[in-house]
C-alpha cells in the first residue's frame, strides 16, 4: 500500500511538473505567435513601402525624362544664339544697332530692343541653369530612393527568413507540447 501511495505521489509530482512545463511552453508558444504576427505586419508594411517607393521612382524618372527633353531643346536654342553672336561679332553688333539710329526716338526704341534681347538671353541661361540643377536634384532623389528600396527589400528578405524560423520553432514547440499533453494524460490514466 505504501509503494502504491509512493507511486501515486511520484506520478502526482511528475504530473505537476509536466503541467508547469506545459504552461511554460504555452506561454512561449504565445510569445512566438505574437512575434510572428508582428513580423508579418512589418513585412506587409515594408512591401507597401516598397510599392510606394517604386511608384515615386517611376514618377521621378518620368520627370527626369521630361526635363532632359526640355534641356536638349534649350541647349539647341543656346547653341543657335551663340552661333549667331559669334558670326555677328557679339557686343559690337549691339553698338552698331544703337549708333545706326536716325533719331533720338529711334535710338530709345533700339536700346529697348537690345535690352530685351540681352534680358531674353540672360533668362534663357538662367532657366537652363535652374533646369540643370533640378535635374541633378531629381537624379539624386532617384538614387536615394533606389538605395532605400534595396534596403527595404533586404529587410523584407531578412524578415521572411525570421518568419520561417519562428514558424518552424513554433511548430516544433506545438508538437512537443502535444506529446507532453499525451504523456500527461497517460500518467493520469
Amino acid at each position: 500500500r505504501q509503494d502504491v501511495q509512493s507511486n501515486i505521489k511520484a506520478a502526482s509530482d511528475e504530473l505537476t511538473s509536466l503541467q508547469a512545463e506545459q504552461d511554460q511552453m504555452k506561454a512561449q508558444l504565445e510569445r512566438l505567435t505574437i512575434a510572428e504576427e508582428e513580423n508579418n505586419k512589418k513585412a506587409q508594411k515594408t512591401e507597401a513601402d516598397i510599392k510606394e517607393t517604386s511608384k515615386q521612382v517611376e514618377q521621378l524618372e518620368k520627370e527626369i525624362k521630361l526635363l532632359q527633353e526640355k534641356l536638349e531643346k534649350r541647349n539647341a536654342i543656346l547653341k543657335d544664339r551663340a552661333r549667331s553672336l559669334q558670326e555677328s561679332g557679339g557686343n559690337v553688333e549691339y553698338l552698331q544697332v544703337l549708333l545706326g539710329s536716325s533719331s533720338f526716338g529711334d535710338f530709345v526704341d533700339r536700346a529697348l530692343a537690345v535690352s530685351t534681347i540681352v534680358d531674353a538671353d540672360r533668362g534663357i541661361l538662367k532657366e537652363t541653369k535652374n533646369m540643370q540643377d533640378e535635374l541633378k536634384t531629381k537624379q539624386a532623389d532617384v538614387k536615394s530612393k533606389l538605395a532605400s528600396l534595396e534596403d527595404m527589400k533586404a529587410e523584407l528578405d531578412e524578415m521572411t527568413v525570421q518568419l520561417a524560423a519562428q514558424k518552424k520553432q513554433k511548430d516544433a514547440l506545438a508538437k512537443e507540447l502535444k506529446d507532453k499533453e499525451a504523456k500527461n494524460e497517460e500518467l493520469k490514466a
Side-chain angles (χ1 to χ4, degrees), residues 26 94 118 174:
K26 282 180 184 176
Y94 291 138
V118 169

Side-chain angles (χ1 to χ4, degrees), residues 52-61 63-64 67 133-150 152:
E52 180 62 31
T53 304
S54 295
K55 287 179 186 176
Q56 289 174 357
V57 166
E58 287 176 18
Q59 181 62 33
L60 281 172
E61 285 175 346
E63 290 174 14
I64 286 171
L67 269 175
D133 291 345
E134 186 179 351
L135 181 66
K136 285 179 185 175
T137 302
K138 289 191 183 221
Q139 286 174 332
D141 282 352
V142 165
K143 284 182 184 176
S144 169
K145 289 192 182 296
L146 284 173
S148 170
L149 202 59
E150 289 173 8
M152 282 188 229

Side-chain angles (χ1 to χ4, degrees), residues 4-15:
V4 169
Q5 290 242 325
S6 169
N7 284 343
I8 290 175
K9 183 168 177 13
S12 177
D13 289 346
E14 191 169 341
L15 197 58

Side-chain angles (χ1 to χ4, degrees), residues 101-113:
S101 57
S102 57
S103 67
F104 184 70
D106 188 30
F107 178 80
V108 170
D109 288 341
R110 287 179 180 218
L112 285 173

Side-chain angles (χ1 to χ4, degrees), residues 121-133:
D121 287 346
R122 279 191 195 129
I124 289 172
L125 287 171
K126 188 174 182 178
E127 284 179 31
T128 304
K129 172 86 170 87
N130 289 342
M131 286 174 130
Q132 287 172 335
D133 291 345

Side-chain angles (χ1 to χ4, degrees), residues 20-137:
E21 205 174 314
Q22 277 182 327
D23 291 344
Q24 249 183 347
M25 288 179 120
K26 282 180 184 176
Q28 193 176 356
L29 198 56
E30 248 179 67
R31 284 192 302 273
L32 280 173
T33 302
I34 290 170
E36 185 179 27
E37 288 170 2
E38 286 176 9
N39 275 345
N40 276 330
K41 287 178 187 175
K42 282 182 188 176
Q44 288 171 352
K45 185 186 179 316
T46 303
E47 284 177 2
D49 289 347
I50 286 172
K51 286 180 183 176
E52 180 62 31
T53 304
S54 295
K55 287 179 186 176
Q56 289 174 357
V57 166
E58 287 176 18
Q59 181 62 33
L60 281 172
E61 285 175 346
K62 287 177 186 175
E63 290 174 14
I64 286 171
K65 188 176 180 182
L66 287 174
L67 269 175
Q68 285 174 332
E69 290 171 4
K70 285 181 182 179
L71 273 173
E72 286 173 13
K73 290 177 185 174
R74 192 74 60 180
N75 284 336
I77 292 171
L78 286 173
K79 283 179 187 175
D80 290 343
R81 187 74 187 120
R83 189 178 308 115
S84 70
L85 276 174
Q86 194 173 27
E87 288 172 0
S88 67
N91 290 335
V92 176
E93 184 69 26
Y94 291 138
L95 190 56
Q96 287 175 352
V97 168
L98 290 174
L99 293 177
S101 57
S102 57
S103 67
F104 184 70
D106 188 30
F107 178 80
V108 170
D109 288 341
R110 287 179 180 218
L112 285 173
V114 167
S115 173
T116 303
I117 291 170
V118 169
D119 287 346
D121 287 346
R122 279 191 195 129
I124 289 172
L125 287 171
K126 188 174 182 178
E127 284 179 31
T128 304
K129 172 86 170 87
N130 289 342
M131 286 174 130
Q132 287 172 335
D133 291 345
E134 186 179 351
L135 181 66
K136 285 179 185 175
T137 302

